Each structure stands twice: as structure tokens, then as C-alpha cells.
Amino acid sequence: MHDPDHRAVTLADVARLAGVGESTVSRVLRNQGSFSKRTQAQVAEAVASLGYVPNRLAGMLAGAHGTAGAKLVGIVIPSLGNVVFPDLLSGAASVLDRDGFQSVIGVSDYDPAREEALIGALLSWRPAGLIVTGLEHTDGALARLRASGIRVVEMIDTDGPGLDIVVGFSNRAVGRDSARHLLARGYRRIGYVGHDVTRDLRAGKRLAGFTETLTEAGMPLHDREIAAGASSAAAGRAALDRLLARTPGLDAVYFSNDDMALGGYFHCLAAGLAIPDRLALFGFNALDITAAMPQPLATVRTPRRAIGAVAAERLGAGGPREVVDLGYDLIPGATA
Amino acid sequence: MHDPDHRAVTLADVARLAGVGESTVSRVLRNQGSFSKRTQAQVAEAVASLGYVPNRLAGMLAGAHGTAGAKLVGIVIPSLGNVVFPDLLSGAASVLDRDGFQSVIGVSDYDPAREEALIGALLSWRPAGLIVTGLEHTDGALARLRASGIRVVEMIDTDGPGLDIVVGFSNRAVGRDSARHLLARGYRRIGYVGHDVTRDLRAGKRLAGFTETLTEAGMPLHDREIAAGASSAAAGRAALDRLLARTPGLDAVYFSNDDMALGGYFHCLAAGLAIPDRLALFGFNALDITAAMPQPLATVRTPRRAIGAVAAERLGAGGPREVVDLGYDLIPGATA
DNA sequence: CCGAATTTTGGCAGCGCTGCCAATCTGATT
DNA sequence: AATCAGATTGGCAGCGCTGCCAAAATTCGG
């Protein structure tokens, strides 16, 4: 362990011990091309006895120039703290693993400048493709992406022009449908509780669709309360408290997502407000936990794993620019 | 975008355009060694006009043999679905970024065999060090780790012998303290609700410490219910329901973690059981959401980000084998 | 204005592996 | 036994970059 002067075993060492050529070892190891059973056995033995570990750096460098292209993709997400993104990642990973791709992940913390830097960093791995989140990027990021000449998939959001491939659903439509649902249930004095929209642009688009529909129905948004910072149950609880203190007459509240909505739910419990009679609650994301609530939360389920999987799928495929809309499901629940 | 025959710009191209040698460009780009202001400007201009992106693959391959060693670390975690791991990652990332390290992440899905495969895969990136989760690994994984000769940090769990550096806290002690707390509060008929322990070994250690202390106090665990599969609020709710149906007399329940406990909380709400008078609830992890509950959950806060940060820190440092215990805090909350 | 000290600079040999291609071997066929 | 297609195999030139080292340019003293 932790041996400073550790002479790494190379493919040449294996070849020597196995008594075959380097390219033969390479072929056997990658199970590509042809070789005899006997050679394979010899190589396997040499590898085992030497404890050889291939050097992917060298392999990719050498292999990346021909037809092949490195079996590597870069993924940029804004956060790991929100379940959404791990779900996207695991969806992508399932496909990537199957196809023998490695992935390098970057987390931007919802910071566009950081995203640009990350894109630069990931590009320097010479990936076969890049998966990024959302449609909004800095000019610099866009320029790098274009200049790279590789396939780029933008995931989650379909509300806007994409660079290359876009996989997701319409956040605006989610907002509209959520509004339509509340309206259909007879709610009339509707409020909104959200978090910092400058960071989470998708939440902003949902809100835009939501208010749009409300306004079209002649029932504009009654009041709104925006919590500073990231979404969380605590922020949602506090924000709902403030909202109701200011505008007590609301009969329904739309939350920027389920984390916020859960906080709102807790506020109602603590304040003794009957749900949904006194106040209806509507969220977004369909977090697993919302199904375990005494009254399942009214929310919208998005195909997160599928989005990740399709994004990974499209990355490998050739083909023209495209927008893949995977839709979503409105879950009525019991809180609205 | 997605241009098949894209001739990549190389360092040589930059050198040519800037009218300097390759090594000079390399030095300027890495801001290492010495060069004149004028050269720097010329190089910068050439880089900009060509849109040059360094090839890290080549850089690492070339640079990894001397004293340096690649600026890369591998991280293996069992899951992204549980907040614990993103927290560890972001703690590690904060330090790694600062020190200019790249990280490659592997997710094992709590499968030891998969972990072994991942360790092999990560090792083939020739990282300067590896951060893995927990102390339990397959023999094969252990062998590879040892053979690699690189620094290895095992994080989270300190209950057992480590390979090299261990950073975390004692899960067994958490279990003991949790039991002591419930006992001190006067609870006597104590049950346990957990999830699949064969996958989450740390939960098993907490349970072991918990039952141990209970038994020593002459107040052995009354009953337990184990949900199949991963932890979740739904699993916790259902399992508590089953447990109480079988053993109605319990006055407190220890959960394998906060997700499960949250489910238990919801069950109590739905069933109209007063907390903590009729039933006390105790969790683990101090998820943010538990602080927003009408009655904050009694739980244990672990220094997750710090563990990740310290793990990353130690990776760079030389020094002997070591165990770093970062401790934890018991949060009394209002449910126990 | 000269030599020594110091700063800049460029050439080039790898890093470990893969792609390409020619050489060798195999067995079947005539 | 000679011929031939197909299976196996090894040599070697890079992939793009960095480390090393000697050469060139600059600066400093006196």
C-alpha cells in the first residue's frame, strides 16, 4: 500500500512473460480480432501472475484517432443534492455501462460560469460526447460545445432551442397542466411558493406556464413567496408561513418542487390547516417520499431515469438534430 | 456540432502559430517553469484563435511517470440515491478542486462484486489515489488495492481494520449512543425497523451497537422488522405498520435511518399515534428535511461533508496508516 | 564592452497502448 | 506434394503531451 517507487506493469511485460507480441496481448485483452485459445490462456496467465492493470489513459490516447473515438462521455449536472440528478445519472449509467462507455461527471452547483469551466475540463478528456443539463449556457460554453465537434445532448428541458440533441419534457407544459388541474378542482385563490429562480431556470419555466394558464382562465396568481437559496423542506415551510401570513385567503398553493411542498405540508400540519379543504398543495417531481405521506402529495412525475437513458442512447447514435419529448404524469394525490 | 471528421487542434498547432516551441507552449499553459510575458501573450492569442483544448489524456500519460503522478483520484460509492453519498462527494470535491485534482466516480449499487470491478476500472485510470466506501471489500478488491501501490482512503466507517487511511465515525458507537438516549428518556419496550442489512453493512453495525447496549441494560430489543430492499419512507411506513401490528406494546422504535424514520412518522400521523407519548421515533443521518418536521426528528448528525473533505485531504498527504474519527452529534429532536 | 549568472527556449525521447500491415502458420483441397 | 484461403501473429509508427537537457538570449557587474 502506498508504495512510492512502484514500477507499473505494462503490456510489454505481459507480452514478454506470455512469450507473444504486444499487439497479440492487446487483441486478447480487448477480445477483438482473432487469436488462438492457447495464446489466450498464456496471456491470461501472464496477466494474472503479474497483476497487470491496463492503462486506460494510454489506450484511449492511442485508440482515439481512428474510426473508434474514445469510449468516454462527459456529463454535467448542476447538483447532486437534488434527487433529480442522481436519477438522471443512473439512467445514463445503465446505458453507458452496457455500451462499454466510461463517464466523467462534473457538478456545476447551478453556476453558469462554473458550468462553462467544467465543459472545458470535460472536453479535455476528449469524450465521444457530452451530456449537459438544460438549454441555458453561457456564450463561452456554447462556443466550446460547438467548436468541439462532438455530439451534445441537453437533457431535462425542451422549452427552447437546443444545440444538437434535446431529451426531456416541457417544464412550461408541466406548469400549465398543474394550473389546469387546480382550476378543474375548483381552486380559485391560488398562490405560489418557490425558491431562487435565477439558479433553477426550469422552476422558472414551470411558474411561467402556471401563471400563464391561470391568467388565461381569468384567475391570475394571487400571491407568491420566493425563498432565497436552494429548495428545501425548511425553506418551503418558512415561505408558506410567510405567504399565508400575508395572504390568508389562499385556497391552494403551487410549489416549485416536492421538497418545498413537503415543507409546506409540514407547515399545515403544525399550524393545523386541513389539507386539502383549507389549503391544497401541489408539488413537482414525485419524490418517492411523497407517496408515503398520510395524504399522498399531488405532484408531477417526470421520467428521470428514462431521460438519462435516452440521452446516453442518443449520444452514441448518429443522426440529425432532434428533440425527444418524454412527457410526464400528473399524480392527483390527496393534497389537491 | 457533431462533425465526424473534425481535425483536433494540438499543442503543436498552437506552437506553430505562436511561433514558439512545443515545450514553451506546454510551460505557458501549465504556468510552470519560466517564460517571458511576450511569449505568454503570443501563446494565449494562438490558443484563443485556434480554440485549442489541451488533451488531458496525453498530458496525464506523459506526465504520470516522473515524480508528479497523475492529478486524478477515483471514488467508489455504493449509491447516489441516498443523500449521504452526494454529501461525501461534494465534501471531497471541494478539496480536490482546490488542489487541482480530477475525480472519476464509480457507483457500486451496494454490490461487492460490482465494487471490485469498479475498483479495477478506476485503477486503470492510474489515479494518484482511491477513495472507497466502508471497510468491507471482496478479497479480489483488497488484492487489487494492495497491488496498486497507491494511497487508499476508506470512508465513513471506523468499525474494523482499515487498509490504509480510514476516515469516518463509529457506527457501532452511534447505535450504542442512540440506545443510551432512548433508555435515558425512560423508554423500555423498544423495537427496530430497518432495511436490508446485507447490503447496508453500516446499518447493521448501528443495530449491533444498539442491541448490545439495550441488552447490557437488561432491556433487550423487543422486536424488529426488516424491510426487503433499500431504505425508503414507503418501506419504513409499511414496516412500522407490520411491527406494531405484531407487537403493539412498543414505546419507542429505532430506525435504520431517517428515510425509514420519516416513513414511520407518516405511519404514526396516519394511524393517529401520538409522538412521542404513544410511540417515540429515532432515526439516523439528520437529513435536512427532518428539521422541518412539525416535531423535529430525533436523529444523529454525521459530518458527511467533512468526511469527504478529510478523505480527499489525506489522499494527497504522505504519512503512515491512520484512522481519523470525525465523530457525530446526537440531535434530541422532539420525537424521542 | 566582456564574461559569468540567469532566464528563456526548443528539440526530442519517451509515456503505454492501438491500428495497420505484412509475415507466418493452419488446414483443406486438388 | 503443391496451392490457397483464412486464421494468427508481431513489428512498428504514431496518439498529444511532458520531462530533461543543452542551446540561445538576456541581464548584471565591474
Side-chain angles (χ1 to χ4, degrees), chain A residues 182 185 187 240 244 251-253 255 261-282 293-298 332-336, chain B residues 266 269 294:
Chain A
L182 290 179
R185 292 280 173 127
Y187 298 107
L240 179 58
L244 292 179
D251 59 8
V253 173
F255 290 84
L262 262 165
Y265 177 74
F266 287 148
H267 172 72
C268 293
L269 286 187
L273 299 176
I275 301 171
D277 298 332
R278 169 63 185 78
L279 189 72
L281 269 24
F282 200 101
M293 292 163 64
Q295 304 170 76
L297 186 66
T335 63
Chain B
F266 287 147
L269 285 186

Side-chain angles (χ1 to χ4, degrees), chain B residues 4 20 31 47 104 131 151 191 193-194 199 229 279 336:
Chain B
V20 299
N31 194 38
V47 165
V104 185
I131 299 179
R151 186 108 248 187
V193 165
R199 284 156 57 97
L279 189 70

Side-chain angles (χ1 to χ4, degrees), chain B:
Chain B
M1 189 90 319
H2 186 225
D3 169 12
D5 41 53
H6 196 76
R7 207 18 208 97
V9 180
T10 71
L11 185 146
D13 298 324
V14 176
R16 207 170 308 124
L17 180 62
V20 299
E22 296 185 30
S23 26
T24 303
V25 176
S26 175
R27 251 171 284 138
V28 172
L29 257 29
R30 284 175 301 142
N31 194 38
Q32 191 196 92
S34 59
F35 45 81
S36 65
K37 283 281 168 224
R38 213 171 68 84
T39 314
Q40 180 171 35
Q42 289 173 44
V43 170
E45 195 192 309
V47 165
S49 94
L50 254 30
Y52 171 68
V53 177
N55 185 329
R56 232 198 212 80
L57 255 26
M60 290 195 150
L61 180 58
H65 59 108
T67 39
K71 285 277 206 177
L72 215 202
V73 316
I75 304 181
V76 184
I77 55 176
S79 146
L80 280 169
N82 188 326
V83 250
V84 172
F85 303 108
D87 282 351
L88 290 166
L89 285 183
S90 73
S94 64
V95 172
L96 260 17
D97 283 356
R98 188 198 64 195
D99 297 353
F101 275 83
Q102 293 284 314
S103 57
V104 185
I105 298 163
V107 180
S108 72
D109 273 323
Y110 287 102
D111 176 350
R114 209 168 143 51
E115 189 197 47
E116 177 175 337
L118 276 173
I119 287 175
L122 291 181
L123 248 20
S124 74
W125 286 99
R126 289 288 184 282
L130 222 49
I131 299 179
V132 300
T133 309
L135 299 166
E136 288 75 17
H137 313 285
T138 62
D139 290 341
L142 252 18
R144 285 170 194 230
L145 252 19
R146 286 211 191 80
S148 72
I150 63 175
R151 186 108 248 187
V152 175
V153 177
E154 292 168 289
M155 61 182 175
I156 296 197
D157 191 3
T158 61
D159 296 313
L163 211 44
D164 187 11
I165 302 271
V166 176
V167 181
F169 58 89
S170 166
N171 278 279
R172 174 174 296 264
V174 167
R176 301 190 70 108
D177 276 351
S178 304
R180 222 168 275 134
H181 182 260
L182 289 178
L183 255 12
R185 291 280 173 128
Y187 298 107
R188 292 297 174 260
R189 294 181 305 284
I190 303 177
Y192 174 80
V193 165
H195 60 282
D196 185 2
V197 184
T198 60
R199 284 156 57 97
D200 187 344
L201 274 359
R202 262 93 50 200
K205 291 179 178 181
R206 291 193 293 276
L207 174 57
F210 187 79
T211 55
E212 217 171 88
T213 296
L214 248 36
T215 303
E216 285 167 16
M219 209 86 52
L221 192 66
H222 238 61
D223 194 7
R224 68 170 72 178
E225 177 69 27
I226 307 294
S231 67
S232 73
R237 180 172 175 177
L240 179 59
D241 190 13
R242 288 196 300 276
L243 181 69
L244 292 179
R246 190 170 61 227
T247 313
L250 298 175
D251 59 9
V253 173
Y254 182 49
F255 291 85
S256 51
N257 66 212
D258 284 356
D259 294 278
M260 299 292 283
L262 224 34
Y265 177 74
F266 287 147
H267 172 72
C268 293
L269 285 186
L273 300 177
I275 299 172
D277 299 332
R278 169 62 185 78
L279 189 70
L281 267 25
F282 201 101
F284 171 77
N285 260 346
L287 297 190
D288 287 346
I289 188 177
T290 61
M293 292 163 63
Q295 305 170 74
L297 186 66
T299 185
V300 169
R301 173 180 301 129
T302 54
R304 299 189 286 273
R305 286 188 50 95
I307 291 175
V310 171
E313 211 108 56
R314 284 295 192 288
L315 212 52
R321 291 179 49 172
E322 186 183 3
V323 175
V324 184
D325 190 330
L326 261 23
Y328 52 84
D329 291 311
L330 195 150
I331 315 280
T335 64

Side-chain angles (χ1 to χ4, degrees), chain A residues 110 194-200 226-232 235 256-257 260:
Chain A
Y110 286 103
H195 59 283
D196 185 4
V197 184
T198 62
R199 284 156 57 96
D200 187 344
I226 308 293
S231 67
S232 72
S256 52
N257 66 211
M260 299 293 283

